[in-house]
Amino acid sequence: MGLIAFLKTQFIVHLLIGFVFVVSGLIINFVQLCTLILWPINKQFYRRVNCRLAYSLWSQLVMLLEWWSGTECTLFSDQATVDTFGKEHVIIILNHNFEIDFLCGWTMTERFGVLGSSKVLAKKELLYVPLIGWTWYFLEIVFCKRKWEEDRDTVIEGLKRLSDYPEYMWFLLYCEGTRFTETKHRISMEVAESKGLPKLKYHLLPRTKGFTTAVQCLRGTVSAVYDVTLNFRGNKNPSLLGILYGKKYEADMCVRRFPLEDIPVDEKEAANWLHKLYQEKDALQEMYNKEGIFPGHQFKPPRRPWTLLNFLFWATVLLSPLFTFGFGIFASGSPLLILAFLGFVGAASFGVRRLIGVTEIEKGSSYGNQEFKKKE
């Protein structure tokens, strides 16, 4: 094992990476708070500033995937579709099977210049997660409780507010509503059977309300829907902890572009279109599991240096005073100060571990673990 590989497995190194992410995130959140005064003066300038602030935080996670673990992401698509990346507002539909599916999506947004302006329809609980939810709040992310009767007005208002967004955005929808587990899949297929819908093997039954509402509210703003089907070579099930330990994965993403005018305006017909799309996604996963490859030409967009340079900037700014402070504590010889410092390190470790826990499938929400009491 080389020195770099050895360092990637060391807890103290993980702790330092976590320290940089958390402290820089708090600084960024504070700056974002200060930018609120810009909103009534120049809303579009506020948005552009916050896109770049968000980039400075999210790109640290992308750096872990691209540079720290060396994970490779391959696109399967066509040249005409790839040529549109980063040049239009779009809705992204991504399967929700893996702990780092969001990170693979982020690495693609970074490579095509839309990481800071990327959006998502997120569960309301994430709003209260430090750094993640706070940053999303300033980015005008649309949050929902996943109870349509309560969410309707909030979601519609949030989506319409994005109609004049000044930078190209990729709006991510996890139409399945929650991460795939065997229990959720079994229950979801019982619901499919009760509704007379075709069963899916690799996906949960898509929830259509969020999709049809997003299409309706963003029609005239977004140009297309990108359907993205993700899988990993070697039947791997990667995790954020694995990335932190420097494990390299190979992600494959099949991307298909559907012009928005091809999607029915009628809500019921649009819902049927989505169900048909998921049957096609299921067929793509079946093909991948049998042949180890998606259809289409392969593209490997090159990683850019900005994520690494951004992290090195924050590491330089934050770790130098930390090392100086820690050395001073131990040089003082004060047991009380040393214990307090070690207590701070322990608390920081716990906080970082809790943030990582947000991505873990086994710690996911119970949403989808009970049958619907009524149809969508």
Side-chain angles (χ1 to χ4, degrees):
M1 179 185 291
L3 177 60
I4 299 298
F6 173 76
L7 290 175
K8 289 180 179 181
T9 65
Q10 298 308 297
F11 170 75
I12 188 63
V13 176
H14 301 163
L15 192 58
L16 292 174
I17 292 173
F19 173 82
V20 172
F21 178 75
V22 170
V23 177
S24 65
L26 292 174
I27 294 172
I28 288 169
N29 286 163
F30 176 75
V31 176
Q32 287 182 303
L33 180 64
C34 295
T35 65
L36 286 175
I37 62 173
L38 297 174
W39 180 270
I41 302 171
N42 190 326
K43 180 175 69 173
Q44 303 297 45
F45 180 63
Y46 163 88
R47 286 169 160 173
R48 293 182 188 279
V49 169
N50 274 277
C51 283
R52 282 144 187 81
L53 290 171
Y55 177 89
S56 189
L57 184 60
W58 300 148
S59 65
Q60 295 181 50
L61 297 179
V62 175
M63 183 281 299
L64 289 177
L65 185 78
E66 294 183 340
W67 295 92
W68 186 256
S69 80
T71 292
E72 295 183 357
C73 297
T74 302
L75 298 179
F76 291 78
S77 190
D78 59 85
Q79 188 64 57
T81 295
V82 174
D83 288 343
T84 65
F85 289 172
K87 300 175 183 177
E88 57 182 350
H89 296 299
V90 296
I91 294 172
I92 305 287
I93 296 176
L94 177 64
N95 55 307
H96 207 8
N97 300 67
F98 305 98
E99 291 184 9
I100 65 166
D101 46 34
F102 76 97
L103 199 50
C104 292
W106 273 0
T107 193
M108 285 298 110
T109 62
E110 200 289 319
R111 295 182 191 197
F112 292 101
V114 291
L115 174 59
S117 58
S118 61
K119 309 295 180 189
V120 64
L121 182 61
K123 57 185 179 183
K124 186 67 176 286
E125 298 96 309
L126 291 177
L127 174 60
Y128 308 106
V129 176
L131 307 184
I132 298 172
W134 300 348
T135 303
W136 275 351
Y137 172 80
F138 295 108
L139 284 177
E140 303 169 78
I141 294 299
V142 182
F143 293 96
C144 63
K145 298 178 181 177
R146 298 188 291 194
K147 296 178 181 178
W148 185 241
E149 295 76 11
E150 300 179 29
D151 288 331
R152 177 190 293 271
D153 292 340
T154 302
V155 170
I156 291 176
E157 180 183 353
L159 289 170
K160 288 184 175 180
R161 192 166 56 239
L162 298 174
S163 62
D164 63 342
Y165 211 77
E167 304 211 356
Y168 290 127
M169 63 175 178
W170 288 9
F171 190 93
L172 173 62
L173 289 176
Y174 286 118
C175 293
E176 295 162 89
T178 186
R179 277 198 177 92
F180 184 100
T181 67
E182 291 300 330
T183 299
K184 292 176 181 178
H185 179 254
R186 175 180 56 80
I187 295 171
S188 181
M189 291 307 97
E190 290 173 0
V191 174
E193 185 175 10
S194 70
K195 293 183 175 183
L197 294 170
K199 291 186 177 182
L200 303 172
K201 186 176 180 180
Y202 302 101
H203 301 84
L204 305 180
L205 191 69
R207 313 295 176 106
T208 61
K209 289 294 185 183
F211 171 74
T212 57
T213 302
V215 169
Q216 180 182 17
C217 292
L218 295 176
R219 197 176 286 274
T221 299
V222 303
S223 304
V225 170
Y226 293 170
D227 171 53
V228 183
T229 305
L230 169 69
N231 213 322
F232 288 87
R233 298 181 190 179
N235 200 29
K236 297 289 181 64
N237 192 12
S239 66
L240 192 55
L241 271 179
I243 295 296
L244 197 57
Y245 275 87
K247 292 182 180 179
K248 181 178 180 178
Y249 302 102
E250 293 179 290
D252 289 332
M253 288 179 274
C254 179
V255 184
R256 301 182 296 163
R257 183 183 185 274
F258 298 91
L260 204 67
E261 55 266 25
D262 291 353
I263 300 172
V265 176
D266 179 76
E267 181 179 351
K268 185 175 181 180
E269 291 181 6
N272 290 335
W273 184 92
L274 183 65
H275 283 301
K276 181 176 181 293
L277 181 77
Y278 267 79
Q279 294 165 34
E280 295 172 359
K281 289 173 75 69
D282 228 45
L284 287 170
Q285 291 286 29
E286 180 73 18
M287 174 184 176
Y288 189 88
N289 285 343
K290 289 181 177 179
E291 302 178 18
I293 195 171
F294 285 123
H297 297 291
Q298 295 188 33
F299 300 87
K300 286 192 175 182
R303 61 185 182 182
R304 307 193 302 172
W306 313 123
T307 58
L308 180 61
L309 292 175
N310 175 75
F311 178 79
L312 292 176
F313 164 77
W314 282 113
T316 302
V317 169
L318 298 175
L319 292 183
S320 296
L322 176 68
F323 291 151
T324 301
F325 177 73
F327 179 78
I329 290 293
F330 283 96
S332 70
S334 170
L336 184 61
L337 288 176
I338 294 173
L339 285 175
F341 181 75
L342 293 176
F344 168 77
V345 171
S349 174
F350 176 77
V352 170
R353 189 63 186 83
R354 291 279 291 182
L355 282 175
I356 293 174
V358 173
T359 69
E360 294 176 349
I361 293 177
E362 62 269 20
K363 294 183 181 178
S365 70
S366 60
Y367 182 72
N369 278 335
Q370 60 278 336
E371 293 192 48
F372 300 149
K373 298 300 182 182
K374 56 184 178 181
K375 295 182 180 180
E376 288 188 299

